[in-house]
Each structure stands twice: as structure tokens, then as C-alpha cells.
Amino acid sequence: MALLEIKNLTAGIEEGEILHGVDLSVNPGETHVLMGPNGAGKSTLGNVIMGSPAYNITSGTIILDGEDITKMTANERAKRGLFMSFQNPLEVPGLSLEAFLRSAIREQTGKPVRFFQYKKDIEEICKLLDMDESYVERDLNVGFSGGEKKKAEIFQLLMLKPKLAILDETDSGLDVDAVRTVSKGVEHFAKQGGALIVITHSTRILEALNVDHTHVLVKGKIAAEGGAEMVDEINENGFEKWVK
Ligand SMILES: Nc1ncnc2c1ncn2[C@@H]1O[C@H](COP(=O)(O)OP(=O)(O)OP(=O)(O)O)[C@@H](O)[C@H]1O
Ligand SMILES: [Mg+2]
């Protein structure tokens, strides 16, 4: 059974439709890449899957693990194992990354966090991400550099261990070393059996991953699909043949 099954999804904002009938299916543990020109609707699709209240779903269904989540809130979806790393992570003054995580874990599992294991996880993941532990005590994303925000997103991903993570340009704006570090984190998640939808304009983050499927979104529709080879093809020829 597919982990995520999107059928004929139409969604948009008050001013108009952005996604015009998207189908997409992800099996447990698979890595999917979502590519497409600027403004195609990739972030919108991610946000709609995650349940952002900024968008209205006008038709179609989103099924997670056999359960219809189309009408659920973002919170309810997160509890069921969905996670999204945002293209522009929000700054949250007054709430530390650590406190945010603790409440997210508590909310998702329905149990208080087990302190020693939790501290150990934090330590291990900080090491994996080459991240100073002091970031965990700082207010979430406040004053974080662009690259640090992206690392903080991956930190959350590794702590929360969702079933499916949508990464929206998590590799953009990162220096060479940071891309490698973030890739390592994402690879770690994938190796533990996590499924991924990676939205990206670059191939660097994909080098560490085994890509199962590639989807090309153009003007709110899936214009083409293929395997890992499609990423190289797009790198060489761009999206021209799908943009009419
Ligand atoms: N909340 C919103 N309000 C108004 N317009 C929106 C909103 N969200 C998306 N759009 C519009 O929908 C289109 C798709 O935007 P989206 O951010 O999904 O593109 P994208 O494929 O992620 O592009 P990029 O590669 O530049 O990140 C754009 O024209 C954008 O301006
Ligand atoms: Mg985007």
C-alpha cells in the first residue's frame, strides 16, 4: 500500500487555482524528487500536502497510510507522520528550538519525552549535523543565518522521525560543506526507512540519496515522470520541452 496517495488534487488561493489536478504516489521508504520551473507550484503542493491553511483544496484527495487526511489540520497531519522543511523557515521569538521540539514530540507521541534518550539524541544529531549544541537553546531560527536555519530544519526532521518528509529547497543557499552535512542528515533519515519528497533546483543534495522517482511540475500539473536519470536530463536540457 502506498504511504502517500494524492489523487486529482486541485488547490489554490482565493484569487485562483494553482494546482490543477495533481496525482502523486509515494511508497514507504521511497525517495521522490519534485522539480519544475520557478512558480510551477512545488512549494504550494508541499504546503497543501502538509495542510497549510493558506490554500483551499477544491477537489481531489490526499491519503496517508490508508487514511483520508484531505480535510485534516496541519497538526493532525504532523501527528500522523508528515513533516515539511520550509523554503523560508519562520523565526519564532520566545520559543527555543529545544522547547519547540519537546512539545512537538509530546504532541505526536501523546507521551512526555524520555529525558535521557532525548538528550542523547540531541547530542548525536548535533554531531552528525556539525551543529553546536548551543543552537538548540536559542530561540527558534531567530538570528540564525540562512544555512543555520536549514540545518535546524534537518535537526527537527531527525528528532521527529516522521514517516514522510517534504524538503523544500533545503539545499539552497548552503555552502559546499553545509550541503554535504545536510545531505548526510537526509541520507541518515532515508536509511532509517523514512520516505522523502525532495523539492530542489540542484542535484547536489541528491548525490547522497537513492532517487526512486522524479516528478516534473509545470504550471500546476505533473508534466513528466521518470526515474533518477531524469534529474540529469533536466540538468542538461532544462524544462523547455515541457513548458509550452
Ligand atoms: N499564498 C499565496 N498567495 C498568492 N500567490 C501564491 C501563494 N502561494 C503561491 N502563490 C503563487 O502560486 C504560484 C506557485 O508558487 P510556488 O511557491 O508554489 O512555486 P514554486 O514552484 O515553489 O517556485 P520556486 O521554484 O520559485 O520556489 C506562484 O505564481 C505564486 O506566486
Ligand atoms: Mg518553492
Side-chain angles (χ1 to χ4, degrees):
M1 188 177 68
L3 174 61
L4 180 75
E5 183 93 58
I6 298 173
K7 282 201 184 120
N8 193 29
L9 184 68
T10 301
I13 49 176
E14 223 162 87
E15 292 76 14
E17 204 175 278
I18 299 171
L19 302 173
H20 315 289
V22 172
D23 293 301
L24 199 147
S25 172
V26 179
N27 288 318
E30 282 183 349
T31 296
H32 289 235
V33 180
L34 181 62
M35 298 184 96
N38 291 132
K42 303 179 298 296
S43 295
T44 301
L45 179 57
N47 285 313
V48 169
I49 296 172
M50 203 55 227
S52 161
Y55 302 94
N56 303 312
I57 297 179
T58 40
S59 75
T61 49
I62 307 172
I63 311 285
L64 182 72
D65 246 348
E67 189 179 16
D68 191 336
I69 61 163
T70 317
K71 292 198 169 73
M72 285 184 192
T73 64
N75 222 339
E76 290 168 327
R77 294 176 201 219
K79 267 190 204 169
R80 284 164 177 78
L82 275 186
F83 174 92
M84 179 157 167
S85 148
F86 295 99
Q87 191 168 357
N88 304 300
L90 279 179
E91 299 192 4
V92 191
L95 180 70
S96 72
L97 173 54
E98 188 275 327
F100 168 76
L101 258 180
R102 200 148 25 94
S103 81
I105 293 171
R106 200 186 311 126
E107 183 127 332
Q108 281 180 27
T109 59
K111 293 177 202 140
V113 294
R114 295 168 56 204
F115 191 72
F116 288 105
Q117 185 60 43
Y118 172 73
K119 280 281 177 208
K120 221 177 103 206
D121 286 353
I122 288 183
E123 223 170 85
E124 265 175 32
I125 294 169
C126 280
K127 206 181 275 168
L128 180 78
L129 294 179
D130 191 19
M131 204 171 125
D132 195 284
E133 272 185 59
S134 62
Y135 284 100
V136 177
E137 304 302 333
R138 275 172 62 176
D139 281 5
L140 184 56
N141 291 328
V142 177
F144 284 25
S145 78
E148 287 164 356
K149 281 182 187 169
K150 300 292 169 111
K151 272 196 191 179
E153 296 281 297
I154 298 303
F155 178 83
Q156 291 166 46
L157 165 74
L158 292 174
M159 289 294 291
L160 291 171
K161 306 180 183 79
K163 289 180 191 159
L164 173 74
I166 303 165
L167 306 184
D168 193 359
E169 297 197 27
T170 304
D171 50 347
S172 75
L174 294 177
D175 70 49
V176 233
D177 296 329
V179 168
R180 213 167 288 142
T181 312
V182 160
S183 301
K184 214 164 56 182
V186 178
E187 185 186 15
H188 186 78
F189 171 73
K191 283 212 169 120
Q192 288 180 327
L196 285 161
I197 297 177
V198 182
I199 301 172
T200 183
H201 289 296
S202 109
T203 53
R204 290 184 305 172
I205 193 169
L206 302 177
E207 281 163 19
L209 301 170
N210 277 322
V211 174
D212 295 296
H213 290 283
T214 306
H215 311 262
V216 181
L217 192 72
V218 177
K219 294 181 188 152
K221 282 187 181 153
I222 300 289
E225 292 187 282
E229 74 294 339
M230 204 166 211
V231 174
D232 300 321
E233 193 191 317
I234 290 168
N235 250 347
E236 250 165 65
N237 305 316
F239 299 111
E240 205 167 73
K241 68 175 173 188
W242 298 298
V243 184
K244 289 174 213 105

